[in-house]
Amino acid sequence: MASAPAAGEFELIARYLSHLGAEREDVLLGVGDDAAVVRAPPGHDLALAHDTLVDGVHFPRGMPADQVGYRCLAVNLSDLAAMGARPAWALLSLTLPSGDAEWVRCFASGLDRLAREAGLAVVGGDTTSGPLTVGLSVVGWLPAGLALTRSGARVGDELWVSGWPGEAAAGLAFIQSGEGAQSAPVAGLVERFRWPQPRLGLGAALLGRASACIDLSDGLAADVGKLCHASGVAADLDSRSLPVSAALRAGAADERTLRGWLLAGGDDYELAFTLPTGTDPTPLRAAAGCDVHRIGRIVEGAGVRLDGEPLDPASLRGYDHFSTDPGRGT
Ligand SMILES: [Mg+2]
């Protein structure tokens, strides 16, 4: 983080952090008082999620500030998408090594851009000094009693995934290798890592249709494993149905690398979900704005299998990005 002229905490808040995101009528009192006051819609439940992103652990050191701002919101919105919730409000905690006004301005612009797209308002938060760390709590709402959970999958259900898992992990591998975006397919992979797309529209469209749902932050196999554990079932993935994008195939040096990215790469922020057999996916594709793929079936037992063979997510990691951080992901 370049050393620009330092600004005071309250100056930074007033200039860059007081009006982040969408204007919402249900925000009765925003930044500036001891707490924010919002009004929840009647007949709705609230979904709350929180993620902390540490420099060098959850994003590469030196990542452009606007991408850090965008990312800290995107990974949280992805959790709301996994519940089928519509984003509403957020609280931001920002720990900064210095009062670098230019960094904060860029950070705020990235967060603000996605917050406006998602219709969310940042209604409060905190700034402190220390190693660069961003904490964000988000709140969304959904019709009462309809929240998607990890625990509703039933034997016989179909297992589906949105988008193209593995692309973001591949993009990160190219960023870390210093090779950068030397070809179009690789450039696309790098973009996928830099700008994750939370599947909010798909999440909302799954309400009342899906039996279970989870977002993919730690990797397809590991997160499907969490859904199975919560539901008390097993999943059998069909290797021929796993979606492999042309860019991913172009970027992978070998089959093992491709398999590692696809099944255990992480940072996808796609949704994995289960549907009762025979559910028509057409409205989901329209709502998702991306493709959705049937990749397997829910069966009796525990854990994740590939073509009937037990799959150990840990054994799939071809490489480990950043440092090994046990606390990663929710
Ligand atoms: Mg999650």
Side-chain angles (χ1 to χ4, degrees), residues 3-316:
S3 57
E9 178 188 354
F10 301 109
E11 195 190 336
L12 288 174
I13 293 171
R15 244 199 276 168
Y16 304 118
L17 304 174
S18 291
H19 300 286
L20 292 176
E23 298 292 326
R24 295 180 59 97
E25 285 180 6
D26 52 21
V27 176
L28 309 180
L29 188 64
V31 174
D33 211 304
D34 293 300
V37 180
V38 298
R39 180 155 296 153
H44 287 72
D45 293 334
L46 298 182
L48 298 90
H50 181 94
D51 256 328
T52 303
L53 286 79
V54 179
D55 187 21
V57 176
H58 299 93
F59 54 88
R61 288 191 195 290
M63 189 178 207
D66 59 335
Q67 290 173 21
V68 175
Y70 183 99
R71 183 178 201 78
C72 73
L73 180 56
V75 304
N76 275 287
L77 290 178
S78 180
D79 283 323
L80 290 183
M83 310 304 289
R86 291 207 177 277
W89 315 293
L91 295 170
L92 167 69
S93 63
L94 195 50
T95 303
L96 299 165
S98 74
D100 181 338
E102 181 53 18
W103 193 93
V104 174
R105 185 189 67 75
C106 292
F107 169 87
S109 72
L111 197 159
D112 183 60
R113 182 183 130 199
L114 181 56
R116 286 174 191 277
E117 282 169 24
L120 171 137
V122 178
V123 295
D126 186 29
T127 54
T128 59
S129 62
L132 176 59
T133 303
V134 183
L136 199 78
S137 299
V138 291
V139 184
W141 39 263
L142 51 122
L146 283 188
L148 302 171
T149 69
R150 296 173 182 186
S151 57
R154 296 290 168 266
V155 171
D157 284 353
E158 296 169 344
L159 179 64
W160 292 71
V161 70
S162 65
W164 303 96
E167 289 195 327
L172 176 65
F174 284 103
I175 291 170
Q176 285 191 309
S177 70
E179 288 173 51
Q182 85 282 74
S183 69
V186 171
L189 297 172
V190 168
E191 280 299 294
R192 287 278 286 123
F193 174 77
R194 291 192 185 286
W195 308 102
Q197 300 298 314
R199 301 297 182 194
L200 292 160
L202 175 58
L206 288 171
L207 291 176
R209 289 193 174 99
S211 51
C213 187
I214 189 169
D215 75 322
L216 304 184
S217 53
D218 283 353
L220 179 62
D223 290 315
V224 167
K226 291 175 196 166
L227 182 152
C228 288
H229 181 74
S231 294
V233 295
D236 195 1
L237 304 179
D238 173 6
S239 61
R240 290 155 306 169
S241 310
L242 292 173
V244 178
S245 68
L248 196 71
R249 194 166 289 290
D254 53 47
E255 204 51 38
R256 185 175 178 278
T257 303
L258 187 143
R259 201 177 125 103
W261 284 338
L262 179 63
L263 290 168
D267 290 306
D268 294 306
Y269 301 104
E270 296 292 352
L271 296 181
F273 52 96
T274 54
L275 298 174
T277 299
T279 304
D280 175 12
T282 315
L284 302 177
R285 287 198 171 95
C290 69
D291 213 342
V292 295
H293 315 270
R294 183 176 44 214
I295 60 171
R297 191 164 282 287
I298 300 299
V299 295
E300 295 277 0
V304 181
R305 304 170 198 163
L306 183 65
D307 301 330
E309 294 303 316
L311 195 54
D312 168 15
S315 69
L316 292 166

